[in-house]
Amino acid sequence: MNITKRIKIILNNKLIFIFIISLAILSILYALKIANTYGTMDFPYSPTLLFMDKINPYEYFLFSKDTSRFIAAQYPVYAHATYILFSPFSYLEWNFAKATWSIINLFLGFLISYIFIKKAQINKIISLFIICIFCTSTPFRNCIGNGQLSFLILLCYSAYFLRNDNLKSFLMGISYIKYSFMPIVAFILFLKGGIKQLFISGIFCLIGWLIFSAYLNQNVLDTLFQPVLVALNGFDTTLARGDLYTLFNIIFKILEIENSYFIIFIIFFVTFIFSKHISKLSDSLLTINLMLIVSLFTFGHLIYDYVVLFPALVYSVKYLNFFRAKISILIILYFWFGIRIIEKIKMYVIESNIIIPTTYDVVINFSLLIVLYFLNFNIKSNSFIK
């Protein structure tokens, strides 16, 4: 009897089935509670309000001595177009705005679950089980609780399933608002469709930049690189979980070298190498899966961004009878549950309220993401190496 049939038999037990669904519901309710009390720290509400008040949020962050208009850590670390996209929220009072975004975010989480599961053609019982696991994961709760944009980014990546190349490129380009997910998309679209598709993918952010500059009556050249400057100053690399950018920052700090732009160049080069590897594939689900894994191990990400491993879980479950798929699932579960469990144990042992990832943690997580990439690239194998 294969493992898929065993899971079906287990899930046919009503008590187990109800228990799993109950855990998922409790996790969702807890996420919504966090989002609507002390959470929603990353929701771009504050910079959007500044923009609508004709104050440049990037300059406010970079040069203002008083940054009290930022709620929690709502720094303007995203592209110009973000604050135009989220401008409707500026007409809502803060409590209503974060409640609305938490519901939208939850809907996006279910929507992307449906899209990827449908594309993988997984049966209903297993599909429901996957969604429940997804909903109970730490990244899922953090994404909703922190008001993050990771579900939106994942939805943009799902546009790769579309047959219309121009629409595909435009919708995927919306993900450029979050720079850490941008390079792999840009390279893949360029390698697949040339300069035309690369240009189309940039239209959303390009128009956003022009509208942003015109609305604030500022020179487009002055505003062009402001999001990058804020991102470099506003992102705390000590909290990143396991990526090449963080590793190079650690190495350069030991060597007393300060050159963030050189590190970014190296990351872009590495991303391009992997892009050439991925661009030869014809399986859209696998392509999206690998693109997201590359994004995770190249640029810095916090724990909520690991929701983008959902396509990898779906792809692994699809080929669950293969040994590599089983190992792949274990690695994903480590990122979804293991990291936080280990952190809780550390916090208990050293009696601390917060744990900063160590160099050891970063190396381990980076290595596991690399392994995950190659496991998924050739998942139809019962050998770990070949």
Side-chain angles (χ1 to χ4, degrees):
M1 184 184 297
N2 63 45
I3 193 165
T4 305
K5 289 182 178 179
R6 289 176 184 173
I7 293 173
K8 284 183 183 179
I9 291 172
I10 293 171
L11 293 177
N12 280 329
N13 185 308
K14 290 184 179 180
L15 288 177
I16 295 176
F17 196 66
I18 292 171
F19 175 72
I20 293 171
I21 293 176
S22 298
L23 284 179
I25 293 172
L26 287 173
S27 179
I28 291 169
L29 292 175
Y30 184 57
L32 291 173
K33 178 186 175 182
I34 294 173
N36 291 282
T37 50
Y38 60 87
T40 320
M41 296 180 293
D42 297 326
F43 177 38
Y45 180 76
S46 300
T48 301
L49 283 182
L50 288 169
F51 169 68
M52 295 301 288
D53 287 342
K54 295 206 169 185
I55 299 172
N56 186 320
Y58 304 117
E59 292 179 353
Y60 182 79
F61 175 85
L62 291 168
F63 308 119
S64 179
K65 292 182 180 179
D66 176 21
T67 57
S68 60
R69 290 194 61 177
F70 288 127
I71 300 172
Q74 292 180 2
Y75 304 137
V77 294
Y78 303 114
H80 312 87
T82 309
Y83 312 113
I84 297 164
L85 179 65
F86 282 84
S87 59
F89 289 97
S90 67
Y91 297 100
L92 305 177
E93 186 268 333
W94 166 234
N95 287 327
F96 189 58
K98 65 180 179 180
T100 303
W101 176 240
S102 65
I103 297 300
I104 292 174
N105 229 0
L106 179 61
F107 169 75
L108 291 176
F110 283 126
L111 178 60
I112 58 176
S113 301
Y114 171 77
I115 291 172
F116 284 103
I117 286 174
K118 185 177 181 182
K119 288 295 179 181
Q121 297 180 329
I122 298 173
N123 72 72
K124 292 180 180 179
I125 295 177
I126 301 297
S127 296
L128 186 57
F129 178 66
I130 293 171
I131 293 172
C132 287
I133 294 295
F134 187 41
C135 291
T136 55
S137 71
T138 299
F140 186 94
R141 284 194 305 276
N142 277 17
C143 191
I144 295 173
N146 284 14
Q148 255 293 326
L149 310 186
S150 305
F151 287 143
L152 176 61
I153 301 302
L154 190 48
L155 182 64
C156 294
Y157 268 69
S158 72
Y160 193 80
F161 290 123
L162 298 175
R163 294 182 181 181
N164 186 304
D165 288 339
N166 294 339
L167 182 60
K168 175 198 302 184
S169 297
F170 177 79
L171 293 176
M172 291 190 76
I174 297 174
S175 68
Y176 292 176
I177 62 174
K178 190 166 182 175
Y179 300 115
S180 53
F181 286 100
M182 172 186 176
I184 189 72
V185 174
F187 285 137
I188 290 293
L189 291 178
F190 172 72
L191 291 169
K192 287 276 193 178
I195 195 70
K196 176 186 174 183
Q197 296 307 320
L198 178 62
F199 174 76
I200 291 173
S201 72
I203 289 176
F204 180 80
C205 284
L206 174 64
I207 293 175
W209 164 50
L210 295 176
I211 293 175
F212 180 94
S213 303
Y215 182 76
L216 297 178
N217 196 26
Q218 291 188 319
N219 190 307
V220 291
L221 296 179
D222 291 336
T223 59
L224 178 59
F225 293 108
Q226 287 178 345
V228 179
L229 292 174
V230 173
L232 290 173
N233 287 278
F235 180 74
D236 189 352
T237 56
T238 62
L239 298 177
R241 300 290 166 168
D243 58 275
L244 206 53
Y245 180 77
T246 303
L247 285 174
F248 272 117
N249 270 294
I250 293 170
I251 294 169
F252 276 37
K253 188 175 182 180
I254 294 171
L255 299 175
E256 297 183 348
I257 301 173
E258 294 186 11
N259 197 327
S260 297
Y261 295 103
F262 181 63
I263 295 175
I264 292 173
F265 172 78
I266 296 174
I267 303 303
F268 269 66
F269 178 75
V270 171
T271 304
F272 181 74
I273 297 300
F274 278 97
S275 299
K276 291 192 72 175
H277 196 222
I278 297 170
S279 65
K280 299 173 184 177
L281 300 172
S282 58
D283 185 334
S284 296
L285 178 57
L286 176 58
T287 300
I288 297 171
N289 173 7
L290 297 179
M291 287 168 65
L292 290 163
I293 295 173
V294 170
S295 292
L296 290 177
F297 71 65
T298 48
F299 279 98
H301 294 274
L302 272 63
I303 198 165
Y304 43 68
D305 279 338
Y306 290 126
V307 293
V308 302
L309 287 176
F310 183 74
L313 177 66
V314 171
Y315 188 73
S316 299
V317 170
K318 182 178 180 179
Y319 297 105
L320 189 56
N321 291 326
F322 293 98
F323 176 73
R324 287 192 173 197
K326 296 179 180 68
I327 301 300
S328 175
I329 291 172
L330 289 176
I331 293 175
I332 294 165
L333 294 179
Y334 161 77
F335 282 105
W336 282 6
F337 300 96
I339 288 179
R340 185 47 56 88
I341 292 171
I342 292 170
E343 285 181 348
K344 290 292 184 182
I345 294 172
K346 286 182 179 179
M347 289 166 64
Y348 176 77
V349 171
I350 67 175
E351 297 182 351
S352 172
N353 292 324
I354 187 170
I355 289 292
I356 303 296
T358 64
T359 301
Y360 173 79
D361 295 326
V362 173
V363 171
I364 291 295
N365 294 340
F366 171 74
S367 301
L368 285 173
L369 287 171
I370 293 291
V371 171
L372 186 64
Y373 175 90
F374 286 105
L375 285 174
N376 280 265
F377 189 83
N378 184 23
I379 206 165
K380 300 176 187 178
S381 172
N382 284 314
S383 170
F384 181 76
I385 299 175
K386 293 182 181 181

